[in-house]
Every structure is written in C-alpha cells, then in structure tokens.
Amino acid sequence: MPQHIPQSVIAHFPYGSFDHSVVESLLPESRASALEEYKSPVETIAKLLLAYPSVYVVHTSEGNQDSTVSGYSVYVGETNDIQSRTLQHLKSDISSRQDWNDFAMRLACDANSVWQYVIGNPHFNKSLTLDVENQLMHYLLGVPAVHNLNNRRSNAQGDYYTRDEFDKIFSDIWLQLHSEDPELFPSEQIIRDSALFKASPFHALTEDQKAAEESVLSVIADVLREEHHQSKSEIDKPTKLIVVQGAAGTGKTVLLSHLFYQISTELGLSDQIADDEYEDELESVTAQISDYAQKIGGATDRHKAYILVNHHEQENVYNEIATKLGLQKKSDDVVLVPSAFINKFSESVIGANGKSTGRGIPDRPKGKADIVLVDEGHLLLTQGNQGYSGKNQLHDILRRSKIVVLIFDPNQILQTAQQWDEATLSQIVDDDSSSVQIEPRATLASEFKPFEFCGSRYEISHIHLQQQFRIAASEPVIEWIDHFASGVGIDKLPQDPGEFDNSGVVTREPYEVRVFDSPQDMYEEIRQKAALRPDGVNGHGLSRMLATYDWKYTTGSSNPKDPNGHWNVELHRDTNGQWRMGLGEDGDLRFSKPWNLKTHSSNRRRNLAKNSVWAERPSTIDEIGSTFTIQGFDLNFAGVIIGPSVKYRNGRLVFDREASKNYLATQRRNGKTDYSEQNLRNELNVLLKRGVHGLYLFAVDPELQTRLKEVVE
C-alpha cells in the first residue's frame, strides 16, 4: 500500500464548461502544493479532473436571484467521464427527472446560475469514488443551507484495496470545500453534531443491520409480488408486523432511515438512474421491488411507504430528510405522527352540513398503506387522549397497513398511556435476545407467528440489534451505565483505558464519568464542552444539561413567581452546604435554569424553525432538557441532574412517585394500575444514555450523591 496519499484536486466552474484553460484558470493559488505533485501540472490535473474517475457536486449559484428558491439545490454524483455524464444529465435526464429539468431551466435563463465542483485524486477507483459520493450526501444532508439534495442512491462500500485511505482523502476534500464555501460546506464538527446527520440514510450499515434490512426487503418483495398475482378477494391477508428490538443507541433509527430511503427510491420513484450500484446481497431484493413498481406504473398514492413517530422533534427531523431528498413534496406527506396517519386512512366525520370535517374515525379504517415504518414505537399510545379518540395506536396502524416495521424498546416507555398489558407485551417483545445475528438473505415470512391483538389477527416476527453505537466507551463502562440506568444497582465504576491503533495513536479517548458537588459547577463544565473553537474543527460540540422531571412545568402558562414567566429547575445550598429543592432564602447560593423550550417561549414558534432540534439551538445551552426533548437524540456530553424522584436506600435505587412532577408518568391507569416505578426508571434510563463521550452527574438525594461519589472517584 503506498505510504503517500496525494492531495485531491478540486476545480469550481460553471456547469457544462470543460475547456482545459478554464480549469487551469479556476484552480486557486492555494492549490500550489497540489500542483507540485505533478510533473506537467496543468495538463495532468485537467486530465485527472476531466478524463479519470471523479466526484462532482452540482449546485445552484449563490448569486441566483430567483425569489421562489431559498438555499441551495445540490446534486452529488461520481463518474468515469465527467463530460459524458454532463451531456447525459442535460440531454436525457431532463426529460425524466424533475431535478435535472430544474437545473436545465435555470441554465437556459442564466448560464452562471448553476456551478459544479469536480474532485479528482490519482488514487480514485470506483469503490473509493462511490464512498466519497455517499459521504458527501451524508454530510450535505445535515447542512441547513441545502434545501434540496439529489442523487437517489446510498452507496456506502464494503472493504476494498484503498479503503484505509478514505478517511484522510475525504477529510482533505471537505476541508478544501469548506475553505471555498463555508456556508455550503460547514466544519465537520458542526455537521457531525447535526440530528439530520445522525439520522441520515447514508450511514454505512453494520453486518447485522444489512442482514436485517435484507430480511425486511425480502418480506416486502414477497408481499407485493403475491398481491400482484392475486385477485382482489385474496388480497386481504393478515398484516405482517416486524418488530425491531434493541436498547438505546443500537442503531435502530439509522436502520429505519436507511430502510425508508431504500423502499422510497425503489418503490416510489420510476426514474432511478441506470448506473446505480448496490451490494450484491441487496441488489436482487431491491430489483424485485423496482420491477414490481414499474409493472404498476411507478409511483402512485396507493403504493408508497410512510414513516411514523410519536415525537414531534424526531418527526421534524424525518420531515426535513424526506423533503430534502425529494421523497415527499411537502412536510407531513409521508412523514406523520401516528394520529395523523390513522386519520388519513379513516372514514371522515361528517358535520351537520353534510360535509367532511377533515377528522377521521379511528374505528373505521379506509384503505391500506403498503409499508409503514414506526420509529420510537414504545411511544405509541395504548389508550385514548385529547388528540386521539381510539383505544390503541398500534392496532389502528396495523388495520391500515400491509406491512409494519416497528422499532420498539420497552425500557423507553415513559408514560402510563404508553404502557401495555403483560400478555400483549410478551408477544410484541421477544425475550430471546440471544438471536442477534440474522443470516443474510433469510426470509422472515417463514418465521412469522400468529398474533391475536384487539380482536384482530396479525402475523409477527422479530429482529434484534445489540451493537452499541451511541456510547463510545469500553464494554465494562457501558455495562456499568446499563446497570445504573436500569435501576439494577450502582457498582464501582470500571476504568476505561481508551483505544489505540497499532502505532500507539489514540483512536478513542476514555469515556468520562464525573460527579459534581454542585449543579452550577456541572453547568459551567457543560458550557465549556459545548463551546467550539473559532475554526469549528476542534472542540467537543453538542453538550447540554438534562434533568429528571421533578420540577414543575406547566405548558401554555407562565410562572407567576419568575420575572420572565419561566418554569425553572431550581436548587439552593443551605447553611450546611447541602443542595436542596427550591430557591431557599436570600443569601443562599442558588441554581436556576429554565426548562427546555421556555426561553423566549412567546416568540418561539415565530423565531425558531419548525425543524430545529432543541439541543442544536444555541440558546438552549442555558436551558435544562427533559425526556420530552432529548429522547432519540445524542449529545457529546450530557450533564444530568437527578432529582428527588430517584433515591438510594439500603444499597438499592428507589423511585419516588411523590417527588416527581411528571403527571403523565405517575398517573394510574384507569385510576387503578400504578406504572410510576417503571416509568420513572425508564426516564432515568433515557437520560443517562444520551452522552456519546461523557456523562456528568449531580444527585439531589444526599445518599445517592454520596454513593455516586464513592463509586466514581
């Protein structure tokens, strides 16, 4: 393997211009070091860019004055012949693809309205250019300025000859692009902290994720093929439910996002580009779905996938991903909260005037969606509330679908209205967690079991994911966090030595667990962790304070005791040095920070974008997050204030419902069944598993605080 990796060469010029002198003139002076690597610089570099494998980024120019367009429209591709590929895009693709028709119309009005970056490197081969293309899509998806991102394939490659050069080559490419246009190409740290990046369908899947996706796609292909050959009377078969299980941070959302993208591009789009390359194991399955889509005439309202999540911030993330990638024309088309999906596939309520009110009747399904993917399925309601008049959201979704893929983690159920009776839960959750690996190309259809639920018959199968992605720690430390988070106990914290490569270079810093003597000290440390250096490259980035829901928060009303009307997490230190609830007396040392979403709450909806994730808003560094805003998302460092609802007594954790202010967790089911201990334990579980690189702790209960200091220090 060559020791020297040449610097990539990047040219930026108007789309469709390929004169060598133009390429020469547009190579900036900063490329001087790159030019020195080649014996005849101009001719060789022009040839490298225009005649050899390359990656290209087409984008609308910043100078475009079209008021109907905001932000960038971007297309990312790779090719062995950039000039031929450009002719293909501008001549044949404009008749079959809306994205290239839009680019062509812009060029017809203004030849300088569309530009492209062309990227070359002497070490480029097909696999390497596909990986660079995929990673550029991955990064650009998380860029706020990019409003439309086109390509319609995810091509993360496996192992190949120059795979060990990829990270260095890509970082060099992104750094060069960032220096030319920091708005279109922000720093890597900013991108990697983005919720869109973390939920992106362009992540490279692990082997068990690939196998899981293979199995699901096989089931979809089988169901659609059977339907195509059956009469209408034979079509109404039991809905198939595939439950994907895994603890927090095991890659369930990445799998679902990747699966959604694969299904949507194969089933919903008839203009898939001809040279798409998928891994051999996946190609035949997606081809079956694509062939079926072509037989029925491509995209129709009846044949498409939906993605549902009962978490508004996660819904916003999926909406932005789907809209940017052209999987839906507008928000809330295929990305919905469960109640909206149920409403969409229900008979309408007829008003007194004889016209539809726009509201659906949950007990009267109307039509079936082909494929429904449900993220955070443990947040589905198992009883009605003000916004949902049915009895069980999963049942109502199953009645309106042919295939449902459900992400489910019973340890993240947080509310009484989400709890299940033991008999049903035992069928939804497969306790055989030893079945981690799924053989590639396995067909789940043979493994489906009958599932009697709410008086209806369905078929159910299970997939397990166990590899931990979120917490970058040694296995003993992850196990320590698991035991603490699940209420099992608080043992001595194992040492984490970090990880090193063969040459002794650190590849992972030790996971950092600290217990603070005061919430104020912890807050100051989290502020420092959240701060990036001006270059945006070094720094820990996304870090926030969190707390158990043990301080009052009333939605829609102001706190009369606070001058700003905020509901706050408030503590004070008494004369004995003990931190206690509330603000205490004048002269006491105080800690007071508003709950999530309370800062500037009166202007929040007007000033903050709908798709803005709580932890990514700069102002929220001064707020305290809860499970309502942080569930499903990552932080680099999480500072968790453990309120008095979690205590340590006689060597074990105790959950005190009387100390919690979370009515949704402590209310009794039908006034009888008390799920508060399970809900409060799960609340702690969610909060303690947000930090990727570190977990900071402060406990209000003196005995718990003492125990934490003993085991950590």
Side-chain angles (χ1 to χ4, degrees):
M1 182 66 64
Q3 293 294 317
H4 174 66
I5 301 176
Q7 186 178 12
S8 298
V9 176
I10 303 174
H12 190 210
F13 47 87
Y15 194 67
S17 173
F18 293 109
D19 186 87
H20 284 209
S21 63
V22 173
V23 175
E24 174 191 357
S25 67
L26 289 170
L27 285 171
E29 293 181 7
S30 62
R31 299 288 188 268
S33 60
L35 293 173
E36 292 173 0
E37 298 193 52
Y38 305 99
K39 294 181 180 179
S40 53
V42 173
E43 179 63 28
T44 305
I45 289 176
K47 190 174 183 180
L48 181 70
L49 292 171
L50 304 181
Y52 282 39
S54 63
V55 181
Y56 57 99
V57 180
V58 183
H59 65 92
T60 53
S61 70
E62 292 179 272
N64 190 343
Q65 299 300 311
D66 185 350
S67 60
T68 64
V69 177
S70 58
Y72 291 91
S73 288
V74 178
Y75 182 94
V76 182
E78 61 79 35
T79 182
N80 290 328
D81 187 337
I82 187 66
Q83 297 182 69
S84 295
R85 179 56 55 83
T86 299
L87 291 175
Q88 175 190 338
H89 285 323
L90 292 179
K91 290 190 175 181
S92 60
D93 287 347
I94 60 173
S95 62
S96 60
R97 297 186 53 152
Q98 185 61 48
D99 49 359
W100 281 105
N101 185 55
D102 290 344
F103 280 134
M105 290 179 66
R106 291 173 184 276
L107 286 168
C109 297
D110 179 0
N112 287 314
S113 64
V114 181
W115 283 56
Q116 74 174 345
Y117 291 92
V118 179
I119 306 161
N121 189 297
H123 287 196
F124 271 177
N125 54 45
K126 185 67 172 179
S127 292
L128 187 51
T129 57
L130 284 169
D131 259 352
V132 171
E133 173 198 48
N134 188 80
Q135 191 78 331
L136 283 169
M137 291 286 289
H138 194 10
Y139 273 42
L140 287 166
L141 184 62
V143 176
V146 174
H147 288 198
N148 297 289
L149 180 59
N150 298 294
N151 176 286
R152 299 202 178 112
R153 63 181 177 185
S154 57
N155 269 329
Q157 300 295 289
D159 199 11
Y160 49 91
Y161 178 61
T162 53
R163 178 64 182 82
D164 60 342
E165 298 182 358
F166 168 73
D167 289 338
K168 186 178 186 305
I169 287 175
F170 184 81
S171 289
D172 167 57
I173 290 170
W174 191 266
L175 192 60
Q176 290 189 53
L177 293 170
H178 172 67
S179 68
E180 292 201 12
D181 188 344
E183 182 182 19
L184 181 55
F185 306 101
S187 71
E188 285 195 67
Q189 179 67 57
I190 291 173
I191 291 293
R192 288 181 173 275
D193 281 348
S194 163
L196 267 68
F197 176 86
K198 292 171 182 176
S200 164
F202 299 103
H203 283 281
L205 299 185
T206 62
E207 289 305 313
D208 57 330
Q209 285 175 324
K210 290 176 186 175
E213 184 176 70
E214 285 283 316
S215 299
V216 174
L217 290 173
S218 293
V219 172
I220 292 170
D222 288 344
V223 170
L224 296 183
R225 189 188 307 107
E226 287 177 12
E227 179 182 299
H228 183 68
H229 292 97
Q230 289 172 341
S231 64
K232 289 185 177 181
S233 61
E234 296 175 310
I235 288 175
D236 194 19
K237 287 192 171 184
T239 300
K240 288 186 174 353
L241 172 62
I242 302 171
V243 181
V244 181
Q245 294 176 228
T250 51
K252 300 185 299 297
T253 291
V254 167
L255 170 62
L256 199 75
S257 179
H258 198 278
L259 187 59
F260 177 59
Y261 189 71
Q262 287 291 106
I263 293 168
S264 297
T265 53
E266 291 300 328
L267 179 61
L269 300 172
S270 58
D271 57 354
Q272 183 75 7
I273 57 179
D275 65 342
D276 275 4
E277 293 187 8
Y278 299 94
E279 297 179 53
D280 291 341
E281 293 293 334
L282 190 62
E283 188 173 10
S284 62
V285 178
T286 54
Q288 292 176 47
I289 299 175
S290 184
D291 289 345
Y292 176 76
Q294 292 178 16
K295 287 179 182 178
I296 63 171
T300 70
D301 286 338
R302 193 168 65 88
H303 291 84
K304 64 181 178 183
Y306 292 86
I307 190 163
L308 314 181
V309 62
N310 213 13
H311 187 297
H312 285 288
E313 293 212 355
Q314 192 69 275
E315 178 207 5
N316 292 339
V317 169
Y318 281 129
N319 257 314
E320 188 167 2
I321 289 174
T323 304
K324 277 190 176 187
L325 295 177
L327 307 181
Q328 61 179 11
K329 292 183 178 179
K330 63 182 188 307
S331 291
D332 304 323
D333 179 13
V334 297
V335 178
L336 300 164
V337 293
S339 57
F341 172 81
I342 293 166
N343 188 64
K344 183 182 182 75
F345 285 87
S346 298
E347 292 184 16
S348 297
V349 175
I350 305 301
N353 59 2
K355 296 182 179 180
S356 171
T357 62
R359 292 184 291 112
I361 306 172
D363 203 39
R364 295 185 184 177
K366 184 179 180 181
K368 279 191 174 184
D370 284 280
I371 305 128
V372 177
L373 310 175
V374 184
D375 198 5
E376 307 281 358
H378 37 270
L379 302 182
L380 292 175
L381 297 176
T382 57
Q383 66 181 45
N385 66 6
Q386 289 182 338
Y388 167 64
S389 60
K391 296 179 180 178
N392 186 293
Q393 287 187 327
L394 178 57
H395 173 55
D396 284 332
I397 292 167
L398 289 169
R399 291 197 289 174
R400 292 160 172 81
S401 315
K402 298 170 187 173
I403 303 165
V404 174
V405 180
L406 177 75
I407 301 296
F408 198 89
D409 179 5
N411 294 320
Q412 294 194 63
I413 294 174
L414 301 175
Q415 300 176 17
T416 299
Q418 299 163 353
Q419 288 287 351
W420 294 78
D421 66 85
E422 291 186 14
T424 306
L425 187 62
S426 66
Q427 294 184 77
I428 294 176
V429 177
D430 179 10
D431 290 330
D432 183 15
S433 58
S434 62
S435 56
V436 179
Q437 277 301 115
I438 303 168
E439 289 298 322
R441 305 286 302 144
T443 302
L444 282 176
S446 61
E447 302 171 11
F448 278 94
K449 304 173 186 176
F451 177 38
E452 299 290 337
F453 177 40
C454 292
S456 299
R457 182 176 175 270
Y458 306 110
E459 294 181 351
I460 189 169
S461 189
H462 297 84
I463 290 173
H464 291 270
L465 298 176
Q466 284 195 338
Q467 184 177 347
Q468 172 62 245
F469 294 101
R470 175 176 295 138
I471 301 175
S474 64
E475 284 301 322
V477 171
I478 292 175
E479 185 176 335
W480 182 88
I481 295 172
D482 279 338
H483 282 188
F484 179 19
S486 61
V488 172
I490 310 176
D491 306 317
K492 183 70 176 176
L493 177 68
Q495 286 190 337
D496 184 352
E499 295 177 4
F500 306 84
D501 64 16
N502 293 333
S503 60
V505 175
V506 176
T507 56
R508 180 184 64 78
E509 296 285 348
Y511 191 82
E512 187 177 354
V513 180
R514 292 176 60 185
V515 180
F516 286 79
D517 291 322
S518 86
Q520 184 64 35
D521 291 346
M522 186 164 72
Y523 163 73
E524 295 296 342
E525 186 66 24
I526 286 293
R527 279 191 66 91
Q528 289 188 32
K529 292 293 186 186
L532 289 173
R533 283 181 12 182
D535 60 10
V537 175
N538 295 307
H540 296 95
L542 199 64
S543 303
R544 289 295 184 271
M545 293 282 285
L546 311 172
T548 53
Y549 194 174
D550 296 344
W551 289 263
K552 186 177 181 180
Y553 183 156
T554 303
T555 304
S557 67
S558 298
N559 182 1
K561 296 181 181 180
D562 183 82
N564 297 310
H566 297 162
W567 297 100
N568 303 314
V569 173
E570 298 175 341
L571 290 161
H572 72 279
R573 191 171 67 184
D574 65 18
T575 54
N576 296 320
Q578 181 65 51
W579 284 92
R580 300 187 182 279
M581 300 288 284
L583 292 179
E585 304 295 332
D586 290 341
D588 289 339
L589 181 61
R590 295 174 172 177
F591 175 84
S592 179
K593 296 295 176 186
W595 271 118
N596 39 213
L597 307 180
K598 291 307 293 182
T599 303
H600 308 302
S601 59
S602 61
N603 297 320
R604 182 169 64 86
R605 291 192 178 277
R606 184 165 64 249
N607 294 339
L608 294 173
K610 178 186 176 184
N611 55 23
S612 180
V613 172
W614 172 78
E616 294 179 18
R617 303 168 194 163
S619 65
T620 63
I621 189 63
D622 294 317
E623 296 181 351
I624 308 295
S626 68
T627 55
F628 290 92
T629 48
I630 205 62
Q631 187 171 21
F633 297 104
D634 294 344
L635 298 169
N636 289 323
F637 284 80
V640 182
I641 299 175
I642 304 174
S645 66
V646 186
K647 295 176 168 63
Y648 191 74
R649 299 290 184 270
N650 302 317
R652 58 185 293 268
L653 286 169
V654 176
F655 296 91
D656 182 0
R657 70 187 308 275
E658 300 301 326
S660 174
K661 294 295 186 291
N662 188 353
Y663 173 74
L664 295 175
T666 59
Q667 66 179 331
R668 297 178 188 273
R669 183 79 170 229
N670 300 319
K672 298 177 181 179
T673 310
D674 184 2
Y675 290 104
S676 58
E677 181 173 346
Q678 293 169 247
N679 291 333
L680 296 179
R681 181 187 293 112
N682 290 348
E683 179 181 351
L684 180 67
N685 176 67
V686 169
L687 295 177
L688 295 184
K689 293 184 177 179
R690 297 304 104 190
V692 174
H693 301 295
L695 172 64
Y696 294 166
L697 299 164
F698 171 82
V700 173
D701 177 62
E703 292 186 45
L704 178 56
Q705 176 75 354
T706 299
R707 178 58 180 170
L708 287 172
K709 290 180 71 67
E710 288 174 354
V711 300
V712 170
E713 295 179 359

